[in-house]
C-alpha cells in the first residue's frame, strides 16, 4: 500500500544476483497491480560492500532491512551507530553471540525495531481482548502451560499455484537461523503481548531442537540447485540434508508458563497446508486461535468455557457487545455444544499485506515523535535474550549427542 510519509523513490543497496532481481520484479508487480498499486521508484546501487556504500552516501534516514539473517545483528548495529533508524525483519539473532549487537542497537536512539506483523492481525487482536476480559477469561491457569502455541510449516509448497522457490542458503541454519530462533521470534512476541501487564523478562525452563530430513531430489525441486552446495556439506549425510529447523521452548513470564513448538515438514499432504494452533488457558474459559484444515485454513477464534457454560456465554456476549463501537460487526456464534466462535467481518482486516503497512506506519510515527520507546526496546531485548539461551542450550545438547554417537561408533 502507498505510504504517504515515505518518498516513492527508494534507494536499494544490494549485491548483484538473483535475489536482487527477484526483489525488483516483486516491486514492479506491486506497482502494476490493479488494486492499490504502489508507486515505488527503485534507485539501485550494487557493490561488494553495499552496506559501506549505503552508510557513505546516506541518501535517507530510515533503512528497511530484510534478506539473509546471518550477520543481520551486526548490520543493524552498524546502521544504528551510523545514525540510521532501522526497521528489520526477524530474526535478528542467529548465533548466541549476536545478542551483544542486539543489545547495543536497543540501548538508545536512533530507533531499531522489528517487523512484527502479528499484533496487527484481527484474529490475534480478538484473542488479546478476550484474554483481557476477566469476567470471561478469569486468570491464567497455573496447573500447566497457560499459553500453548504450535505451528506446522512446509518446506515444499505452492504459492499462488506455483512452486515456492527457496534459495539454497535457506537450509543453512548459520544463515537462516535454527528452529529455536526463527518462528519462535513471533510466538514469544505473541505470548509477551498476552501477558502484557507483566513486564517480567521471560525465563527459559527447557528447550529442544531437532532436524527435518531433506532428500537430495526434494532439495533440487525446492531450490533449483543441481545438488547440495559445499557450504551445506557439514549437514549432509549421504544423499540427505539434516535441516535443524524444529524446536520446542517452555518458558515463564512472571507466573505464566508458556510453551511454543514449531515444526517443518518436507511437503504438505494433499489438500493440506501450513497450520497453527494456540490456546490461552484461563480459569473460566480457554481462548483458542486456529488455522488448519478444520477451519478451511482461515484464522478462527473460539472460546471454550471451563466453568458454567451459560454464565461464560453471557459474559462473552456482553463483552463483545461492548466492542461494537471499536469493532463493528464482531459477533458470537455457537460452534458446538460447549464452544463459541467470535467472528469478525472482512472489512475489519484487509489481509496480511495491510499488516506490513501498519507496522511501517507505527514505526514512522515513533520516528516522527522523536520519543524513545523504552518498553518496546526492553521487550525486544528480553525476547532475544530468551532465544539466545535456547539456541545455546540446544546447540550444546546437539554437540553432546554427536560426541556420544562418535564415541559409540569408535568403540
Amino acid at each position: 500500500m502507498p505510504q504517504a510519509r515515505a518518498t516513492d523513490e527508494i534507494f536499494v543497496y544490494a549485491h548483484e544476483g538473483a535475489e536482487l532481481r527477484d526483489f525488483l520484479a516483486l516491486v514492479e508487480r506491486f506497482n502494476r497491480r490493479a488494486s492499490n498499486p504502489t508507486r515505488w521508484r527503485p534507485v539501485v546501487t550494487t557493490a561488494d560492500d553495499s552496506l559501506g556504500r549505503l552508510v557513505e552516501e546516506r541518501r535517507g534516514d530510515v533503512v528497511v532491512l530484510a534478506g539473509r539473517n546471518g550477520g543481520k545483528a551486526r548490520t543493524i548495529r552498524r546502521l544504528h551507530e551510523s545514525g540510521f533508524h532501522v526497521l528489520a525483519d526477524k530474526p535478528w539473532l542467529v548465533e548466541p553471540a549476536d545478542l551483544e549487537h542486539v543489545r547495543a542497537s536497543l540501548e538508545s536512539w536512533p530507533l531499531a525495531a522489528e517487523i512484527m506483523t502479528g499484533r496487527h492481525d484481527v484474529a490475534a487482536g480478538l484473542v488479546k481482548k478476550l484474554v483481557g476480559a476477566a469476567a470471561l477469561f478469569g486468570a491464567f491457569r497455573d496447573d500447566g502451560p497457560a499459553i500453548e502455541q504450535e505451528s506446522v510449516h512446509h518446506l515444499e509448497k505452492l504459492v499462488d499455484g506455483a512452486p515456492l522457490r527457496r534459495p539454497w542458503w535457506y537450509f543453512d541454519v548459520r544463515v537462516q537461523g535454527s528452529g529455536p530462533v526463527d518462528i519462535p521470534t513471533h510466538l514469544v512476541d505473541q505470548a509477551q503481548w498476552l501477558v502484557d501487564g507483566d513486564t517480567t523478562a521471560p525465563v527459559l525452563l527447557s528447550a529442544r531442537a531437532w532436524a527435518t530430513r531433506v532428500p537430495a531430489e526434494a532439495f533440487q525441486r525446492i531450490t533449483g540447485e543441481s545438488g547440495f552446495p559445499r557450504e551445506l556439506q557439514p549437514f549432509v549425510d549421504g544423499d540427505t540434508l539434516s535441516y535443524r529447523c524444529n524446536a520446542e521452548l517452555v518458558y515463564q513470564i512472571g507466573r505464566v508458563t508458556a510453551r511454543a513448538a514449531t515444526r517443518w515438514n518436507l511437503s504438505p499432504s494433499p489438500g493440506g497446508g501450513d497450520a497453527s494452533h494456540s490456546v490461552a488457558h484461563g480459569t473460566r474459559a480457554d481462548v483458542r486461535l486456529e488455522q488448519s484444515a478444520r477451519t478451511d485454513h482461515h484464522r478462527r477464534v473460539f472460546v471454550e468455557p471451563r466453568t458454567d457454560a451459560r454464565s461464560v456465554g453471557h459474559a462473552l456476549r456482553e463483552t463483545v457487545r461492548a466492542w461494537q463501537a471499536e469493532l463493528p460487526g464482531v459477533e458470537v456464534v455457537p460452534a458446538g455444544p460447549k464452544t463459541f466462535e467470535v467472528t469478525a467481518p472482512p472489512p475489519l482486516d484487509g489481509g496480511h499485506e495491510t499488516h506490513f503497512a501498519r507496522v511501517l506506519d507505527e514505526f514512522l510515527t515513533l520516528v516522527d515523535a522523536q520519543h524513545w520507546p523504552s518498553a518496546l526496546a526492553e521487550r525486544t531485548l528480553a525476547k532475544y535474550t530468551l532465544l539466545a539461551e535456547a539456541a545455546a542450550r540446544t546447540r550444546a545438547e546437539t554437540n553432546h549427542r554427536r560426541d556420544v554417537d562418535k564415541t559409540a561408533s569408535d568403540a
Side-chain angles (χ1 to χ4, degrees):
M1 296 177 65
Q3 168 54 251
R5 287 185 291 178
T7 63
D8 294 336
E9 189 174 55
I10 57 174
F11 299 98
V12 180
Y13 289 82
H15 298 289
E16 182 61 68
E19 294 167 42
L20 173 60
R21 292 192 294 272
D22 289 346
F23 170 76
L24 295 176
L26 181 63
V27 171
E28 183 63 17
R29 194 176 82 191
F30 276 94
N31 282 345
R32 290 181 176 273
R33 67 184 179 182
S35 177
N36 291 322
T38 52
R39 301 182 298 272
W40 302 120
R41 299 193 306 274
V43 178
V44 180
T45 298
T46 58
D48 291 337
D49 182 15
S50 54
L51 176 60
R53 286 284 297 277
L54 185 157
V55 172
E56 178 185 348
E57 295 178 1
R58 197 177 189 87
R59 299 156 97 176
D61 57 359
V62 170
V63 176
V64 178
L65 187 63
R68 303 187 184 204
N69 300 320
K72 183 181 290 181
R74 293 189 299 274
T75 299
I76 295 171
R77 182 175 185 175
R78 181 174 176 186
L79 290 167
H80 176 266
E81 292 177 346
S82 298
F84 292 94
H85 303 290
V86 182
L87 180 61
D89 197 10
K90 67 85 187 167
W92 291 7
L93 181 145
V94 170
E95 304 285 343
D98 290 336
L99 184 61
E100 170 195 348
H101 304 297
V102 173
R103 180 179 289 108
S105 299
L106 292 170
E107 283 181 344
S108 61
W109 200 258
L111 179 62
E114 291 179 287
I115 301 176
M116 281 281 123
T117 58
R119 298 188 180 209
H120 297 278
D121 173 67
V122 67
L126 290 175
V127 171
K128 166 68 174 170
K129 292 177 72 66
L130 291 166
V131 168
L136 161 67
F137 180 74
F140 282 105
R141 285 164 51 193
D142 57 8
D143 57 350
I147 300 173
E148 295 188 273
Q149 303 159 301
E150 297 182 359
S151 64
V152 178
H153 308 267
H154 298 90
L155 297 170
E156 186 173 24
K157 61 183 179 180
L158 299 178
V159 176
D160 291 333
L164 175 64
R165 180 62 58 89
R166 299 187 190 274
W168 69 262
W169 54 257
Y170 186 90
F171 293 88
D172 189 337
V173 295
R174 298 164 300 187
V175 178
Q176 176 64 15
S178 61
V181 302
D182 189 8
I183 304 299
T185 310
H186 281 293
L187 301 184
V188 175
D189 181 78
Q190 288 288 298
Q192 289 177 304
W193 192 30
L194 291 179
V195 194
D196 210 13
D198 194 327
T199 58
T200 307
V203 175
L204 186 67
L205 301 180
S206 66
R208 67 187 185 99
W210 64 100
T212 293
R213 306 282 287 175
V214 184
E217 61 271 18
F219 181 83
Q220 292 169 11
R221 289 195 306 270
I222 296 169
T223 66
E225 300 284 338
S226 60
F228 296 121
R230 61 177 178 82
E231 291 89 345
L232 294 179
Q233 287 305 313
F235 313 110
V236 175
D237 181 12
D239 64 350
T240 302
L241 172 72
S242 181
Y243 182 33
R244 194 164 156 272
C245 53
N246 311 298
E248 180 185 59
L249 279 59
V250 180
Y251 57 97
Q252 280 187 308
I253 304 177
R255 298 181 61 183
V256 177
T257 301
R259 171 182 168 271
T262 180
R263 185 173 79 251
W264 287 85
N265 293 336
L266 186 60
S267 56
S269 57
D274 292 354
S276 62
H277 175 94
S278 64
V279 184
H281 296 287
T283 52
R284 289 182 54 78
D286 291 343
V287 179
R288 174 165 55 92
L289 173 59
E290 183 171 352
Q291 181 177 8
S292 67
R294 293 186 300 180
T295 65
D296 295 324
H297 297 287
H298 294 119
R299 290 167 65 79
R300 295 169 62 181
V301 179
F302 301 93
V303 176
E304 299 163 345
R306 291 187 52 80
T307 57
D308 179 49
R310 179 175 296 181
S311 65
V312 171
H314 175 74
L316 174 60
R317 292 186 181 91
E318 289 298 310
T319 297
V320 171
R321 186 176 295 117
W323 296 347
Q324 291 306 307
E326 177 187 358
L327 300 170
V330 173
E331 294 182 338
V332 178
V333 297
K338 294 184 179 181
T339 303
F340 304 93
E341 181 176 0
V342 180
T343 65
L348 285 183
D349 188 359
H352 189 55
E353 183 193 325
T354 64
H355 303 163
F356 290 94
R358 292 168 189 165
V359 168
L360 178 58
D361 186 68
E362 188 177 70
F363 176 80
L364 293 177
T365 297
L366 290 171
V367 170
D368 289 345
Q370 294 286 306
H371 177 69
W372 178 242
S374 57
L376 172 62
E378 290 168 5
R379 185 181 75 229
T380 304
L381 179 58
K383 176 179 69 175
Y384 278 115
T385 301
L386 176 79
L387 298 181
E389 183 179 354
R393 188 178 299 187
T394 55
R395 175 184 292 177
E397 291 174 357
T398 298
N399 291 340
H400 174 71
R401 286 196 299 271
R402 187 181 296 122
D403 291 342
V404 170
D405 292 342
K406 185 178 186 302
T407 301
S409 65
D410 292 343

